[in-house]
Amino acid sequence: MGSIASVAYGEIGSSIYIALGVIALYALGFTPWVLLGVGLVFVIVALSYAEGTAALPETGGAATFVRKAFNDPAGFITGWALFLDYLIVIALAALFVPHYVGTAIGWNAIATEPWDVVAGIGVIVVLAVVRLFRRAHLYGVAVFIAVLALISHLVLIVLGFALLLSTKGLGAGLDLGTAPTWNSIFFSLALATLAYTGLETVANLAAETREPGRTLPRSLFVGIGAVVIVSFAIAAIGISAYPAHPHPTGPGGYASDLGTRWLQAPIVGIAEAFGGSLPDWAVDSLRIFLGLTGAIILVATTSTALSGGGRLAYSMGKRAMLPRAFGRLNQRTFIAPVSIVSGAGIACALLIAASLVGQEVRFLASLYSFGALIAFTAAQLAVLRLRFSKPDLERPFRVPGNVRIRGVAVPVAPLVGAPLTFALWIAALATHNAARIAGPIWLALGVGIFVAVRRREHERLLEHVEPIDADLVPAPEGVYESILVPVKLGPIGEEMLATAIRLAEERGCAVRALHVIRVPLDMPLDAELLDQEEQAEASLADAKLLASEHGVHVEGEIVRARAIGEAIVDRACTDGVDLILLGSAPRWRRQSRFFSPTVDYVLRRAPCEVMVITYPQGVLEG
């Protein structure tokens, strides 16, 4: 539980580095209270997420709930809105990196237009290229980021409460209706959803949690509760340091320096406010520490958002909501490379478009609230609907506090939360053009893609599409308890492993990965083969990591043999597996043989069923 709670804190708590400045720009002295109020709404939303992810522990989050509760088009709209949010988090986090670095070390040029946009695009491109060639160890990175964020936050809160926090600063310039205006308050409430990003990423951990009904809800609430408290405390310190004052360009004629001068590096701005309370060397050290740790946290946020968007696209690609290319596993990257390329490209385009429009932070933050509030509202409605449509669905966690409606126990939390998030969505539409204009354009684009994909796949628009069943053998022969899959490099090996994982997901069976080191006849079996050993260990590690992304446990083994086929059959006999999964390349058919000698040997000698994945001519080349 502790590790997942820390991941929840890191994923959601990192948002304060982005959101604090833009919320302070509009909410002024009410910033702490806006964050606290929206944080409480967020806790209500998290209750519905906890029930949904425990009952449906699949990749996709709110899109999965909505698809199960209503239909595929509704699930797609929710997923498409969430995909936009992932892209905006990528763009904003990358844009803020040069500002945190520049203000921390005094490199002002990188924190000014247009070089901050150029640097932000550079961050996105570099991370995308790295992800194309190297998997992200998301779980380990998330725990590290959580620890780093918590240390930074605690340092800031301890010093801030001792040296900066004051009731005088908190109350300075407060005049609700004037400073801030009602329009600004409503807009800031919608923007505050940006302070609590990461819920979808944490919800997706349900597919990898052994006891999602017990572990995930507790972890969610511990992490979210800590984030709400910490966000309120940091905002109170920031507003105490930079109270509202008359400002010619501020909304309503008032502004806080936290939302103007320090808009894109608010945490560094708070560090700078210790000047006069701490020695200069201490202020400089604190500024550098918070600036560089903030940049590291934002780089990690960019990377996890890139992966989160890819996982969401994978879920939709498997169900004919996006082109099939998005729904293909890749052993090197864990997600479809097309997801990485398209996600990075669209995020860069969003940065450029926002820069051309002007006020890119406000533009992107407003657009984020448009997508997030659609997803939050839809997720809560889906949980309510599932109580009626699927009363027998196993729910390891149920939202507490229920009332009976038409004989069904209905949770009060989504009954209250859905209208609140919908009201915030209306506020976003009413107070900013980005949500009112760009948001519907994005949805219209998505609808066009969905219709085109369904027509291409010859699926009806309202049809409930599930991934193709990987079990090619009819029951009862297709009921397996253990699968043996030889590890093989290249696209055939990736498809073999992906099929094994899919079967394990569907059947709940065990997967054994076998890497055979073929030893030539002129060498002893125990000859030193360091390169082959290292390659074997790396391939098994890759297989385990890929499987863990889908909640599947893989046992790996390395054996030495004179012939690969013999080693596979011997291991199948020893372990008593139910299925051997193999792959066959088209080149053997060009040589008047349908299968390779290894596959042919296993087919003839195997003590169990053998499934062979074959490819039409030209598929692998493509």
Side-chain angles (χ1 to χ4, degrees):
M1 173 181 165
S3 58
I4 298 180
S6 65
V7 170
Y9 181 86
E11 288 291 336
I12 301 170
S14 61
S15 307
I16 196 69
Y17 290 86
I18 301 172
L20 180 58
V22 70
I23 297 171
L25 175 64
Y26 290 93
L28 303 178
F30 283 96
T31 296
W33 307 106
V34 166
L35 281 169
L36 180 61
V38 175
L40 294 177
V41 173
F42 193 71
V43 171
I44 294 174
V45 173
L47 285 168
S48 294
Y49 267 83
E51 178 171 317
T53 52
L56 302 168
E58 304 174 18
T59 301
T64 297
F65 314 160
V66 175
R67 179 174 54 82
K68 294 284 189 180
F70 298 100
N71 53 38
D72 279 16
F76 171 79
I77 291 294
T78 305
W80 188 246
L82 286 170
F83 193 54
L84 174 64
D85 285 345
Y86 277 117
L87 298 174
I88 291 172
V89 170
I90 293 169
L92 278 175
L95 177 64
F96 276 53
V97 168
H99 286 271
Y100 274 92
V101 172
T103 53
I105 64 177
W107 187 9
N108 295 325
I110 199 175
T112 57
E113 294 184 5
W115 300 112
D116 58 344
V117 175
V118 173
I121 291 173
V123 169
I124 296 171
V125 170
V126 169
L127 287 176
V129 170
V130 170
R131 286 292 283 112
L132 284 171
F133 294 95
R134 186 181 181 86
R135 76 212 52 83
H137 302 283
L138 294 179
Y139 199 78
V141 170
V143 173
F144 168 74
I145 291 304
V147 173
L148 187 62
L150 182 60
I151 292 172
S152 302
H153 295 164
L154 289 178
V155 168
L156 197 60
I157 290 171
V158 170
L159 291 176
F161 269 63
L163 302 174
L164 294 180
L165 187 66
S166 70
T167 55
K168 180 180 178 181
L170 282 172
L174 278 182
D175 184 8
L176 189 58
T178 302
T181 64
W182 288 109
N183 185 78
S184 295
I185 278 289
F186 289 134
F187 186 42
S188 67
L189 286 169
L191 289 180
T193 56
L194 184 64
Y196 301 106
T197 65
L199 179 59
E200 278 290 326
T201 303
V202 178
N204 281 332
L205 292 176
E208 302 164 30
T209 305
R210 291 186 178 180
E211 297 180 88
R214 182 174 65 88
T215 305
L216 193 65
R218 294 181 183 179
S219 303
L220 265 177
F221 300 131
V222 170
I224 291 172
V227 169
V228 172
I229 295 170
V230 166
S231 299
F232 175 80
I234 292 176
I237 294 167
I239 290 299
S240 294
Y242 299 104
H245 57 85
H247 193 283
T249 62
Y254 290 85
S256 164
D257 287 348
L258 194 63
T260 52
R261 178 186 174 192
W262 298 105
L263 173 65
Q264 290 162 303
I267 303 300
V268 177
I270 297 176
E272 193 70 20
F274 286 103
S277 301
L278 293 174
D280 290 344
W281 65 267
V283 174
D284 290 340
S285 299
L286 185 62
R287 185 188 68 247
I288 292 171
F289 170 71
L290 291 176
L292 295 183
T293 55
I296 293 170
I297 289 168
L298 290 172
V299 168
T301 299
T302 306
S303 178
T304 54
L306 196 61
S307 297
R311 289 161 65 90
L312 176 61
Y314 168 75
S315 176
M316 294 195 293
K318 290 196 303 180
R319 294 170 173 85
M321 297 180 182
L322 290 177
R324 291 285 183 187
F326 287 89
R328 293 175 185 155
L329 290 175
N330 183 280
Q331 189 170 358
R332 182 183 296 135
T333 63
F334 284 176
I335 54 178
V338 67
S339 297
I340 298 173
V341 174
S342 59
I346 298 172
C348 291
L350 282 172
L351 258 185
I352 295 171
S355 178
L356 294 175
V357 170
Q359 302 179 333
E360 54 271 329
V361 177
R362 297 171 228 187
F363 176 87
L364 292 174
S366 173
L367 195 55
Y368 176 89
S369 66
F370 173 85
L373 291 168
I374 286 178
F376 290 168
T377 303
Q380 294 176 97
L381 293 177
V383 168
L384 290 173
R385 165 96 177 184
L386 286 170
R387 286 289 186 98
F388 289 94
S389 63
K390 297 183 182 295
D392 297 328
L393 178 67
E394 184 178 355
R395 293 173 172 85
F397 172 83
R398 296 173 71 92
V399 178
N402 292 262
V403 295
R404 298 198 75 83
I405 299 177
R406 290 187 298 173
V408 177
V410 178
V412 174
L415 287 174
V416 174
L420 286 175
T421 52
F422 181 72
L424 290 175
W425 184 69
I426 295 297
L429 290 178
T431 53
H432 205 275
N433 289 336
R436 187 167 54 250
I437 299 174
I441 291 175
W442 174 260
L443 291 185
L445 175 64
V447 170
I449 293 173
F450 178 80
V451 171
V453 170
R454 283 293 167 103
R455 287 184 175 177
R456 181 178 178 181
E457 298 291 335
H458 305 291
E459 303 283 3
R460 292 190 296 274
L461 294 180
L462 298 179
E463 185 173 353
H464 186 68
V465 176
E466 288 293 343
I468 297 173
D469 192 348
D471 185 5
L472 303 181
V473 182
E477 291 83 357
V479 178
Y480 312 117
E481 294 184 0
S482 60
I483 300 173
L484 177 66
V485 54
V487 176
K488 181 183 179 69
L489 298 178
I492 291 180
E494 293 176 0
E495 288 296 326
M496 290 163 55
L497 183 60
T499 303
I501 291 172
R502 180 60 184 162
L503 279 168
E505 284 183 305
E506 294 177 350
R507 307 295 185 187
C509 52
V511 176
R512 301 175 185 271
L514 178 69
H515 194 292
V516 182
I517 298 177
R518 185 175 178 278
V519 182
L521 291 174
D522 59 350
M523 298 176 65
L525 275 175
D526 60 352
E528 188 176 88
L529 299 170
L530 296 180
D531 290 344
Q532 291 90 327
E533 289 282 356
E534 290 179 1
Q535 186 181 71
E537 291 176 359
S539 65
L540 287 179
D542 287 347
K544 292 179 180 180
L545 284 170
L546 178 59
S548 69
E549 282 285 300
H550 298 272
V552 174
H553 175 69
V554 169
E555 294 182 3
E557 184 178 2
I558 302 171
V559 299
R560 293 178 175 227
R562 300 297 183 184
I564 296 175
E566 292 179 8
I568 294 172
V569 172
D570 288 345
R571 182 50 53 193
C573 293
T574 302
D575 293 343
V577 299
D578 301 307
L579 174 70
I580 300 173
L581 195 60
L582 299 174
S584 181
R587 67 188 180 92
W588 296 106
R589 292 191 288 282
R590 293 199 296 268
Q591 300 174 15
S592 300
R593 301 183 63 166
F594 197 81
F595 294 125
S596 67
T598 296
V599 173
D600 186 70
Y601 181 91
V602 174
L603 284 170
R604 294 176 184 277
R605 307 290 182 91
C608 59
E609 293 180 22
V610 179
M611 182 184 294
V612 183
I613 304 173
T614 61
Y615 300 84
Q617 184 67 35
V619 166
L620 295 180
E621 290 81 351

